[in-house]
Amino acid sequence: MQLSKNSLKLINNMKRSIYVLMLLVAFGMQAQEKEDATMVSETMTEAKTQVKDSTTPNTQRVKIDGVAAVVGDFVILDSDVDKFLLDLKQQGVSSADLTKCGLLGKLMEDKLYAHQAIQDSIEVSPGEIRDRVNQSIEYFSEQTGGMENLLKFYAMEDEAALRKRLTEITKVNILTQRMQSKVVRDVEITPEEVRQFFEKIPVDQRPVIGVELEVSQIIIAPEPSEEAVNKVIQKLKDIKAEVEGGSSFGTKAILYSKDRASGRQGGLMPINKRMSLAKEFKDVAFSLQQGEISDPFETEFGWHIVMVDKVRGQERDVRHILLIPEVTNDRLEEARKEIDTLRTRIVAGELTFEEAARSFSDDKETRNNGGKLINPATFDTRFELTKMDPEQYSQIEPLKGDEISIPLIDETRTGQKRFKLLKVTNRFDEHVADYSKDYIKIKSLALKEKQLKEVGKWIKQKIEDTYINVNSENRNCEFQNNWLKK
């Protein structure tokens, strides 16, 4: 079967589309769960009431919020679909090709995932939900110019009401995402399947790969003094002793932790062994018993202590406190002079950029491969120019040929200052996808198509196995999935 341009576009943008829709659902939909399934099915008829005017004998039929559909234990209201469409328009998403039937189908698909996740005993910790809600509120508050504007935009009374609504929706969204991941987790693709996928694409419909760059870096981080390190270690030991004596670890994390993301949540971090975490952190966290607190240990981010809050099979909730030894201005100036000298030696030809990265860079992730950065979106070394992080683009855009950047000040997510040099090590012009040159990207497209097929089979089967009821007003919809079980 040959793939159309629309099919390729769908596969290529699948992750982005799902993310946008899920994000908008979180703000635009107010789903309600019904504990009594019998009561739900009785409300599937048209929800209307007659209101008699006190001064005339005439009556008028006024439609109240009714049930659009039921999927398992989840109810989708008419207002959910309407609000979803409205929010898409408010967010600037083109609604030209969107229909209420299509949006209802999307919401039903999400509820099918969430319902099955509950049946499969997939859990979501309260801490993870709070963290997601906080991140969403913080991000959108910045985008809209503050909490007051955010509440007005979404017509919410106060922050508490917004948080309550988002907490309910975020739980469903996480369940949906985890069930989706479980469905495609074991889907793999062979080189032969990738080749067959590519050969089925007509030559005039093969995707165009934009201009790409390979970028290398050298990081020089200032070293704290031994006195500063010992001070931090002793502080962590004191905190551990106080917690073991009855103090709250969460309160201590809020007061002292330099990890801003988890610190606001009392240091809480839901983790599993598949997550990308510092090896030292993961080793310690999974060596502790529930309720146990570690001794201070070091990672590239600083010094930590960790406490296991709850063990859930291969997953666990941990709390941690991160402290960072203070770096004086003198030490920072020493690092700047060191990277200046290193740049001078590279420009003079005493050693190559790659040799300097391997021998002197303080970045563990890149120094062993000569400083080459890995694209977190594709896990290869190429960065498509139009999709590059704006700050990174502004730093490398002025570089011509083999030119090396001036020393640039860099700051980690925990606020540590360091210096870096950047170099564009390779440039790839815009071109039509080539099987040998662009194998990784083609493999990604092929895998997405295979995953979509697996998802389709899963949805078809679960629809047959799940209680589903669609309101009579929506039974004329031409759904992509067989929600009507015809």
Side-chain angles (χ1 to χ4, degrees):
M1 181 184 71
Q2 290 187 335
L3 293 172
S4 66
K5 290 182 178 179
N6 288 335
S7 296
L8 282 172
K9 184 177 181 181
L10 170 64
I11 295 170
N12 200 29
N13 292 323
M14 182 177 70
K15 285 186 177 180
R16 176 177 176 273
S17 300
I18 290 175
Y19 174 76
V20 170
L21 287 172
M22 295 294 288
L23 197 59
L24 292 172
V25 168
F27 279 92
M29 189 183 76
Q30 189 174 4
Q32 296 183 1
E33 298 182 30
K34 300 291 185 181
E35 296 181 357
D36 191 339
T38 304
M39 182 178 71
V40 168
S41 60
E42 290 175 354
T43 64
M44 291 301 296
T45 55
E46 287 186 323
K48 296 183 178 180
T49 185
Q50 292 187 344
V51 179
K52 180 178 287 187
D53 189 290
S54 59
T55 59
T56 69
N58 295 330
T59 62
Q60 63 181 28
R61 294 170 66 84
V62 180
K63 183 176 179 180
I64 63 173
D65 197 5
V67 175
V70 176
V71 179
D73 296 328
F74 290 94
V75 176
I76 301 172
L77 302 177
D78 290 329
S79 60
D80 295 336
V81 184
D82 294 337
K83 191 67 167 63
F84 190 18
L85 178 60
L86 177 62
D87 279 350
L88 285 171
K89 292 178 179 178
Q90 287 177 326
Q91 292 286 345
V93 176
S94 174
S95 60
D97 297 325
L98 297 178
T99 64
K100 286 191 175 182
C101 288
L103 294 175
L104 175 59
K106 175 66 175 69
L107 298 183
M108 291 178 72
E109 187 176 317
D110 290 344
K111 295 300 177 289
L112 182 66
Y113 279 116
H115 171 76
Q116 190 59 46
I118 294 172
Q119 306 308 306
D120 289 1
S121 300
I122 294 176
E123 296 183 357
V124 182
S125 71
E128 183 176 5
I129 295 172
R130 285 196 302 271
D131 193 36
R132 292 271 192 103
V133 169
N134 285 335
Q135 289 174 8
S136 297
I137 288 179
E138 184 176 338
Y139 174 77
F140 282 104
S141 182
E142 289 178 1
Q143 296 299 306
T144 56
M147 177 57 68
E148 185 177 348
N149 290 336
L150 180 62
L151 294 175
K152 287 180 180 178
F153 186 81
Y154 288 104
M156 301 298 290
E157 299 176 359
D158 52 35
E159 184 177 344
L162 179 61
R163 285 185 178 277
K164 180 180 178 181
R165 177 176 172 184
L166 280 180
T167 297
E168 296 168 354
I169 302 308
T170 298
K171 180 178 180 179
V172 174
N173 287 349
I174 295 175
L175 287 171
T176 298
Q177 292 163 4
R178 290 192 175 164
M179 195 66 238
Q180 288 172 334
S181 297
K182 183 177 179 180
V183 171
V184 301
R185 182 174 58 199
D186 298 326
V187 177
E188 297 179 346
I189 196 162
T190 66
E192 178 60 21
E193 288 176 310
V194 177
R195 184 189 63 78
Q196 291 177 5
F197 167 83
F198 184 72
E199 290 181 351
K200 288 178 183 177
I201 305 174
V203 175
D204 63 344
Q205 293 183 20
R206 289 178 180 171
V208 174
I209 309 297
V211 176
E212 294 179 307
L213 305 175
E214 286 184 337
V215 181
S216 294
Q217 70 175 13
I218 295 173
I219 297 289
I220 299 296
E223 287 289 333
S225 67
E226 184 177 350
E227 181 184 358
V229 171
N230 290 335
K231 183 178 179 181
V232 159
I233 293 173
Q234 187 57 51
K235 179 64 177 177
L236 289 172
K237 287 180 178 180
D238 292 343
I239 291 173
K240 177 181 177 180
E242 291 171 10
V243 173
E244 290 176 336
S247 295
S248 165
F249 193 105
T251 300
K252 296 293 185 183
I254 293 172
L255 290 173
Y256 299 113
S257 184
K258 299 302 181 182
D259 184 352
R260 290 169 287 190
S262 69
R264 291 191 295 265
Q265 310 306 312
L268 187 64
M269 288 178 57
I271 65 172
N272 60 61
K273 290 186 176 180
R274 299 185 302 275
M275 291 176 67
S276 178
L277 297 168
K279 181 181 183 301
E280 303 90 341
F281 187 95
K282 193 181 294 187
D283 288 346
V284 171
F286 282 94
S287 69
L288 300 172
Q289 301 298 315
Q290 187 164 309
E292 190 177 359
I293 305 175
S294 74
D295 290 326
F297 65 95
E298 187 182 17
T299 71
E300 61 184 299
F301 301 106
W303 286 82
H304 313 250
I305 54 172
V306 172
M307 181 181 78
V308 175
D309 229 23
K310 185 177 181 181
V311 175
R312 297 179 282 111
Q314 296 299 309
E315 299 183 353
R316 53 185 57 195
D317 294 338
V318 303
R319 293 184 186 273
H320 89 116
I321 294 173
L322 168 67
L323 296 184
I324 301 170
E326 183 180 358
V327 174
T328 63
N329 289 333
D330 288 344
R331 291 293 178 112
L332 195 63
E333 180 62 19
E334 287 175 12
R336 188 190 65 76
K337 289 179 179 178
E338 182 181 347
I339 204 167
D340 269 338
T341 301
L342 197 57
R343 183 180 187 277
T344 300
R345 293 180 63 192
I346 296 170
V347 172
E350 291 182 30
L351 69 170
T352 67
F353 194 96
E354 292 72 22
E355 290 170 342
R358 288 191 176 95
S359 299
F360 301 103
S361 181
D362 291 322
D363 185 27
K364 294 179 180 178
E365 292 184 3
T366 62
R367 68 185 179 197
N368 290 332
N369 63 350
K372 263 184 188 175
L373 291 170
I374 302 298
N375 188 334
T378 60
F379 300 105
D380 66 5
T381 57
R382 296 186 183 187
F383 291 81
E384 193 166 342
L385 202 58
T386 57
K387 299 177 182 178
M388 187 173 283
D389 175 77
E391 182 179 359
Q392 187 182 50
Y393 175 81
S394 68
Q395 292 173 342
I396 67 169
E397 192 274 334
L399 303 179
K400 308 300 179 186
D402 292 332
E403 188 178 359
I404 300 170
S405 73
I406 61 172
L408 301 165
I409 192 75
D410 188 47
E411 191 169 308
T412 68
R413 66 180 180 84
T414 54
Q416 295 165 286
K417 290 182 179 180
R418 54 191 193 169
F419 293 95
K420 68 179 177 182
L421 298 175
L422 292 176
K423 179 185 177 183
V424 176
T425 54
N426 221 335
R427 297 175 187 265
F428 304 89
D429 294 332
E430 182 177 281
H431 62 281
V432 175
D434 177 272
Y435 180 75
S436 58
K437 294 179 181 178
D438 304 300
Y439 178 80
I440 293 177
K441 289 184 174 60
I442 295 166
K443 179 183 178 181
S444 178
L445 291 174
L447 179 60
K448 285 185 175 70
E449 184 190 55
K450 190 172 182 179
Q451 288 173 337
L452 283 172
K453 290 179 180 178
E454 189 65 28
V455 165
K457 289 191 292 184
W458 183 90
I459 289 176
K460 182 178 179 181
Q461 180 60 51
K462 294 306 175 184
I463 286 176
E464 292 299 318
D465 298 341
T466 305
Y467 171 76
I468 295 171
N469 202 332
V470 179
N471 186 292
S472 59
E473 292 185 353
N474 298 314
R475 288 182 172 272
N476 292 327
C477 286
E478 295 183 5
F479 293 116
Q480 193 172 28
N481 297 306
N482 186 28
W483 298 114
L484 301 178
K485 300 188 180 184
K486 293 180 179 179

